[in-house]
Each structure stands twice: as structure tokens, then as C-alpha cells.
Amino acid sequence: AQVLRTRVDELGRVDFAGIAADPATLQGVVAAIGAGPEPAARADLLAWRINAYNALAMWGIVRRGIPRSLGLLARFSFFANTTIRVAGRDTTLKSFEDDVIRRMGDERVHFALNCMVRGCPRLPREPFLGARLEAQLQEATREFCSDPRHVRADHARRVALLSQIFEFFTADFVPAAAPDLITYVNRWRPEQIPWTYEVRFPDYDWTINAQPSSGRP
């Protein structure tokens, strides 16, 4: 909570330079995640795992020297080839997401998990909490699906432009949660996209989502 409150702005941008200069608080969070234990109740557990992923991703960017973006090789290293520790187990961000968090069966986690780049959902300034998780996930999903940076209709071309999150993880949404992607996003946005529109996925923005004070545009 302290890291998010003091190092994240209203736009979800992170003061990575400030964390690098004074890393003790985030290092303490990372150490606690590594030691565990995980909560027992499902809502508490899912909230804990979302917070853990976000904190470990944040720390991973600091440890990499706050790069401007994650290119293809950097993404492989960051997600699949860098060891993280969660509740006494060594894993990677990719395995933690795919084999642990996604298997809990709530597709809305994709609007809460944050790998610290501009294509991700907005990082909130408060942690996810089991007692409020349902409302927090609903709000995160509504915000993402209503944000034209992530979901928008090009009526002139009759095209639905959806974040590549929906392409990367299509199976979590269709048919698990909806018959098609347009139906899914329409559940969460006031302006409906015609179901006859062609779905396209603009390239994901892998630019690090740093505050200007972190020395990044």
C-alpha cells in the first residue's frame, strides 16, 4: 500500500527512479512475497497473488535498470527467464501468471495484472484486497474495456480494435466467459460495438510506464 500510494500517480505511471534511489520498502514487499505464506481464503489468495505479481514486476523493472521498453529478447528474459520467489517457491513471472493465477479461473485478472508497460491496465494506487476484490475487479474491467487506448470502434472501417491482451489470452475469454470478444467487451462498456465488426489487435505498447521524473518520456 505504501509503495503504490507514494510511487504511483493517478495515471498509473511509476516513479521507478524514486524506488531505485530508496528501494527498502519495495524490497521488503518482495522479501515477504518470497517467504509467504499465502492466504487460505480464495478471495484473499487471488488478491495476494495479483499484488505479488505487480510488485515483482515493478521490482524487476528497477533491477533491469529501468529500460525504456521491453523488446522481444528483453520480454523473454523478463517474463520467462528471470527467477522470482513466491511463497517459498522459485518460478518466473510467466509461470506464476499462466500456471498459478490464470488457473484460478477469473479472466478479469488480466485487467489487474501489470507488467509495468503502457499497454497494461492502469496500475491503481491501492492494493487489491480480498474483502473488496469483486468490486475492484469489476471496476478494473470496466475501466479497461471503456478506455479507447485499449478498446475502441473504428466505425468508418467497421473494425473493433482490441488490446492484444485479448489476443494473447483469448481462451480465457472465449468461450470461457463469452461467445466472442466483442460480446465480452460490450458487457463492460456503455458504448456498444456492433458484433458484426471485424476484430483487430493493434501492436501492444511495451514502453515502460515510468513517470517523467524517472527519466523516461
Short mmCIF file of all heavy atoms in Angstrom, two decimals, residues 140-170:
data_model
loop_
_atom_site.label_atom_id
_atom_site.label_comp_id
_atom_site.label_asym_id
_atom_site.label_seq_id
_atom_site.Cartn_x
_atom_site.Cartn_y
_atom_site.Cartn_z
N ALA A 140 -11.89 -2.50 -12.48
CA ALA A 140 -10.74 -2.59 -13.37
C ALA A 140 -11.15 -3.04 -14.76
O ALA A 140 -10.64 -2.52 -15.77
CB ALA A 140 -9.70 -3.55 -12.79
N THR A 141 -12.08 -3.97 -14.85
CA THR A 141 -12.54 -4.47 -16.15
C THR A 141 -13.33 -3.40 -16.88
O THR A 141 -13.14 -3.18 -18.09
CB THR A 141 -13.38 -5.75 -15.96
OG1 THR A 141 -12.62 -6.70 -15.21
CG2 THR A 141 -13.76 -6.35 -17.30
N ARG A 142 -14.23 -2.72 -16.18
CA ARG A 142 -14.99 -1.63 -16.81
C ARG A 142 -14.06 -0.54 -17.33
O ARG A 142 -14.23 -0.04 -18.44
CB ARG A 142 -15.98 -1.04 -15.81
CG ARG A 142 -17.31 -1.76 -15.73
CD ARG A 142 -18.34 -0.94 -14.99
NE ARG A 142 -17.98 -0.77 -13.58
CZ ARG A 142 -18.39 -1.58 -12.61
NH1 ARG A 142 -19.16 -2.63 -12.90
NH2 ARG A 142 -18.04 -1.37 -11.36
N GLU A 143 -13.09 -0.18 -16.50
CA GLU A 143 -12.16 0.88 -16.92
C GLU A 143 -11.38 0.48 -18.16
O GLU A 143 -11.25 1.26 -19.11
CB GLU A 143 -11.19 1.20 -15.78
CG GLU A 143 -10.18 2.27 -16.12
CD GLU A 143 -9.24 2.59 -14.97
OE1 GLU A 143 -9.69 2.58 -13.80
OE2 GLU A 143 -8.06 2.85 -15.25
N PHE A 144 -10.88 -0.73 -18.17
CA PHE A 144 -10.07 -1.18 -19.31
C PHE A 144 -10.90 -1.25 -20.59
O PHE A 144 -10.49 -0.76 -21.64
CB PHE A 144 -9.48 -2.56 -19.00
CG PHE A 144 -8.45 -3.01 -20.01
CD1 PHE A 144 -7.12 -2.69 -19.83
CD2 PHE A 144 -8.82 -3.75 -21.12
CE1 PHE A 144 -6.16 -3.10 -20.75
CE2 PHE A 144 -7.88 -4.16 -22.04
CZ PHE A 144 -6.54 -3.83 -21.86
N CYS A 145 -12.07 -1.85 -20.51
CA CYS A 145 -12.89 -2.04 -21.70
C CYS A 145 -13.52 -0.75 -22.20
O CYS A 145 -14.00 -0.69 -23.34
CB CYS A 145 -13.97 -3.09 -21.43
SG CYS A 145 -13.32 -4.77 -21.20
N SER A 146 -13.54 0.29 -21.36
CA SER A 146 -14.10 1.58 -21.76
C SER A 146 -13.02 2.58 -22.18
O SER A 146 -13.35 3.67 -22.66
CB SER A 146 -14.92 2.18 -20.61
OG SER A 146 -15.99 1.33 -20.26
N ASP A 147 -11.77 2.21 -22.00
CA ASP A 147 -10.66 3.10 -22.32
C ASP A 147 -10.30 2.96 -23.80
O ASP A 147 -9.92 1.87 -24.24
CB ASP A 147 -9.46 2.74 -21.45
CG ASP A 147 -8.32 3.74 -21.56
OD1 ASP A 147 -8.21 4.40 -22.61
OD2 ASP A 147 -7.54 3.85 -20.60
N PRO A 148 -10.40 4.02 -24.59
CA PRO A 148 -10.12 3.91 -26.02
C PRO A 148 -8.68 3.53 -26.35
O PRO A 148 -8.39 3.13 -27.49
CB PRO A 148 -10.46 5.31 -26.57
CG PRO A 148 -10.42 6.22 -25.38
CD PRO A 148 -10.85 5.38 -24.21
N ARG A 149 -7.79 3.62 -25.38
CA ARG A 149 -6.43 3.14 -25.63
C ARG A 149 -6.39 1.62 -25.72
O ARG A 149 -5.47 1.05 -26.31
CB ARG A 149 -5.49 3.60 -24.51
CG ARG A 149 -5.27 5.10 -24.44
CD ARG A 149 -4.44 5.45 -23.22
NE ARG A 149 -5.11 5.02 -21.99
CZ ARG A 149 -4.54 5.06 -20.79
NH1 ARG A 149 -3.29 5.48 -20.67
NH2 ARG A 149 -5.21 4.68 -19.72
N HIS A 150 -7.38 0.96 -25.14
CA HIS A 150 -7.40 -0.50 -25.10
C HIS A 150 -8.53 -1.12 -25.92
O HIS A 150 -8.37 -2.22 -26.45
CB HIS A 150 -7.53 -0.96 -23.65
CG HIS A 150 -6.49 -0.43 -22.75
ND1 HIS A 150 -5.14 -0.58 -22.98
CD2 HIS A 150 -6.57 0.28 -21.58
CE1 HIS A 150 -4.44 -0.01 -22.00
NE2 HIS A 150 -5.29 0.52 -21.14
N VAL A 151 -9.65 -0.44 -26.00
CA VAL A 151 -10.81 -0.96 -26.74
C VAL A 151 -11.50 0.21 -27.42
O VAL A 151 -11.91 1.17 -26.76
CB VAL A 151 -11.82 -1.67 -25.80
CG1 VAL A 151 -13.05 -2.10 -26.59
CG2 VAL A 151 -11.18 -2.87 -25.11
N ARG A 152 -11.64 0.14 -28.73
CA ARG A 152 -12.35 1.21 -29.44
C ARG A 152 -12.90 0.67 -30.76
O ARG A 152 -12.43 -0.34 -31.28
CB ARG A 152 -11.45 2.41 -29.70
CG ARG A 152 -10.31 2.18 -30.66
CD ARG A 152 -9.41 3.41 -30.73
NE ARG A 152 -8.37 3.29 -31.74
CZ ARG A 152 -7.20 2.68 -31.55
NH1 ARG A 152 -6.93 2.12 -30.38
NH2 ARG A 152 -6.32 2.61 -32.52
N ALA A 153 -13.88 1.38 -31.27
CA ALA A 153 -14.50 1.01 -32.54
C ALA A 153 -14.09 2.01 -33.61
O ALA A 153 -14.13 3.22 -33.39
CB ALA A 153 -16.01 0.98 -32.41
N ASP A 154 -13.68 1.52 -34.76
CA ASP A 154 -13.45 2.34 -35.95
C ASP A 154 -14.66 2.14 -36.85
O ASP A 154 -14.72 1.20 -37.62
CB ASP A 154 -12.16 1.91 -36.64
CG ASP A 154 -11.81 2.78 -37.84
OD1 ASP A 154 -12.74 3.39 -38.42
OD2 ASP A 154 -10.63 2.85 -38.21
N HIS A 155 -15.64 3.03 -36.69
CA HIS A 155 -16.90 2.84 -37.39
C HIS A 155 -16.74 3.01 -38.90
O HIS A 155 -17.47 2.37 -39.67
CB HIS A 155 -17.95 3.80 -36.85
CG HIS A 155 -18.30 3.56 -35.41
ND1 HIS A 155 -18.93 2.40 -34.99
CD2 HIS A 155 -18.08 4.30 -34.28
CE1 HIS A 155 -19.10 2.45 -33.67
NE2 HIS A 155 -18.59 3.59 -33.22
N ALA A 156 -15.81 3.83 -39.33
CA ALA A 156 -15.62 4.04 -40.77
C ALA A 156 -15.17 2.75 -41.44
O ALA A 156 -15.56 2.46 -42.58
CB ALA A 156 -14.60 5.14 -41.00
N ARG A 157 -14.35 1.98 -40.75
CA ARG A 157 -13.84 0.72 -41.32
C ARG A 157 -14.58 -0.50 -40.79
O ARG A 157 -14.27 -1.63 -41.19
CB ARG A 157 -12.35 0.57 -41.00
CG ARG A 157 -11.46 1.61 -41.66
CD ARG A 157 -10.00 1.28 -41.47
NE ARG A 157 -9.60 1.31 -40.07
CZ ARG A 157 -8.52 0.70 -39.57
NH1 ARG A 157 -7.76 -0.04 -40.36
NH2 ARG A 157 -8.21 0.80 -38.29
N ARG A 158 -15.54 -0.28 -39.88
CA ARG A 158 -16.31 -1.36 -39.27
C ARG A 158 -15.37 -2.38 -38.62
O ARG A 158 -15.44 -3.59 -38.84
CB ARG A 158 -17.21 -2.05 -40.30
CG ARG A 158 -18.25 -1.12 -40.91
CD ARG A 158 -19.09 -1.82 -41.96
NE ARG A 158 -19.84 -2.94 -41.41
CZ ARG A 158 -21.00 -2.83 -40.74
NH1 ARG A 158 -21.54 -1.63 -40.57
NH2 ARG A 158 -21.62 -3.89 -40.29
N VAL A 159 -14.47 -1.85 -37.78
CA VAL A 159 -13.45 -2.65 -37.12
C VAL A 159 -13.48 -2.39 -35.62
O VAL A 159 -13.63 -1.24 -35.19
CB VAL A 159 -12.05 -2.30 -37.68
CG1 VAL A 159 -10.94 -2.90 -36.81
CG2 VAL A 159 -11.91 -2.79 -39.12
N ALA A 160 -13.35 -3.44 -34.84
CA ALA A 160 -13.18 -3.34 -33.39
C ALA A 160 -11.69 -3.51 -33.09
O ALA A 160 -11.10 -4.54 -33.41
CB ALA A 160 -13.99 -4.40 -32.66
N LEU A 161 -11.09 -2.49 -32.50
CA LEU A 161 -9.68 -2.51 -32.17
C LEU A 161 -9.52 -2.84 -30.70
O LEU A 161 -9.85 -2.03 -29.83
CB LEU A 161 -9.04 -1.15 -32.49
CG LEU A 161 -9.12 -0.75 -33.97
CD1 LEU A 161 -8.80 0.72 -34.16
CD2 LEU A 161 -8.18 -1.62 -34.80
N LEU A 162 -9.05 -4.05 -30.42
CA LEU A 162 -8.96 -4.55 -29.05
C LEU A 162 -7.51 -4.73 -28.65
O LEU A 162 -6.66 -5.14 -29.46
CB LEU A 162 -9.69 -5.89 -28.91
CG LEU A 162 -11.14 -5.97 -29.39
CD1 LEU A 162 -11.71 -7.34 -29.03
CD2 LEU A 162 -11.98 -4.86 -28.81
N SER A 163 -7.22 -4.47 -27.39
CA SER A 163 -5.89 -4.69 -26.85
C SER A 163 -5.42 -6.12 -27.15
O SER A 163 -6.21 -7.07 -27.16
CB SER A 163 -5.91 -4.49 -25.33
OG SER A 163 -4.77 -5.05 -24.72
N GLN A 164 -4.12 -6.24 -27.37
CA GLN A 164 -3.58 -7.58 -27.62
C GLN A 164 -3.72 -8.50 -26.41
O GLN A 164 -3.51 -9.71 -26.55
CB GLN A 164 -2.12 -7.49 -28.05
CG GLN A 164 -1.94 -7.27 -29.54
CD GLN A 164 -0.53 -7.56 -30.00
OE1 GLN A 164 0.41 -6.95 -29.52
NE2 GLN A 164 -0.39 -8.50 -30.91
N ILE A 165 -4.06 -7.96 -25.25
CA ILE A 165 -4.37 -8.84 -24.12
C ILE A 165 -5.44 -9.85 -24.52
O ILE A 165 -5.38 -11.03 -24.16
CB ILE A 165 -4.80 -8.02 -22.90
CG1 ILE A 165 -3.59 -7.34 -22.26
CG2 ILE A 165 -5.53 -8.89 -21.86
CD1 ILE A 165 -3.92 -6.43 -21.10
N PHE A 166 -6.41 -9.40 -25.31
CA PHE A 166 -7.48 -10.29 -25.75
C PHE A 166 -6.99 -11.31 -26.78
O PHE A 166 -7.59 -12.38 -26.92
CB PHE A 166 -8.64 -9.47 -26.33
CG PHE A 166 -9.37 -8.65 -25.32
CD1 PHE A 166 -9.18 -7.27 -25.25
CD2 PHE A 166 -10.24 -9.24 -24.43
CE1 PHE A 166 -9.85 -6.51 -24.32
CE2 PHE A 166 -10.92 -8.49 -23.48
CZ PHE A 166 -10.72 -7.11 -23.43
N GLU A 167 -5.93 -10.98 -27.48
CA GLU A 167 -5.33 -11.93 -28.41
C GLU A 167 -4.41 -12.91 -27.67
O GLU A 167 -4.45 -14.12 -27.92
CB GLU A 167 -4.54 -11.19 -29.48
CG GLU A 167 -3.90 -12.12 -30.52
CD GLU A 167 -3.11 -11.36 -31.57
OE1 GLU A 167 -2.60 -10.26 -31.29
OE2 GLU A 167 -2.98 -11.90 -32.69
N PHE A 168 -3.59 -12.38 -26.76
CA PHE A 168 -2.66 -13.23 -26.01
C PHE A 168 -3.40 -14.30 -25.20
O PHE A 168 -2.92 -15.42 -25.06
CB PHE A 168 -1.83 -12.39 -25.03
CG PHE A 168 -0.97 -11.33 -25.66
CD1 PHE A 168 -0.65 -10.18 -24.96
CD2 PHE A 168 -0.47 -11.48 -26.95
CE1 PHE A 168 0.16 -9.20 -25.52
CE2 PHE A 168 0.33 -10.50 -27.53
CZ PHE A 168 0.64 -9.35 -26.81
N PHE A 169 -4.58 -13.94 -24.67
CA PHE A 169 -5.28 -14.81 -23.72
C PHE A 169 -6.71 -15.09 -24.18
O PHE A 169 -7.61 -15.21 -23.34
CB PHE A 169 -5.28 -14.18 -22.33
CG PHE A 169 -3.91 -13.84 -21.82
CD1 PHE A 169 -3.46 -12.53 -21.78
CD2 PHE A 169 -3.04 -14.85 -21.39
CE1 PHE A 169 -2.20 -12.21 -21.31
CE2 PHE A 169 -1.78 -14.55 -20.92
CZ PHE A 169 -1.34 -13.22 -20.88
N THR A 170 -6.92 -15.23 -25.47
CA THR A 170 -8.27 -15.41 -26.00
C THR A 170 -9.03 -16.53 -25.29
O THR A 170 -10.21 -16.39 -24.97
CB THR A 170 -8.22 -15.69 -27.51
OG1 THR A 170 -7.59 -14.60 -28.18
CG2 THR A 170 -9.64 -15.87 -28.06
#
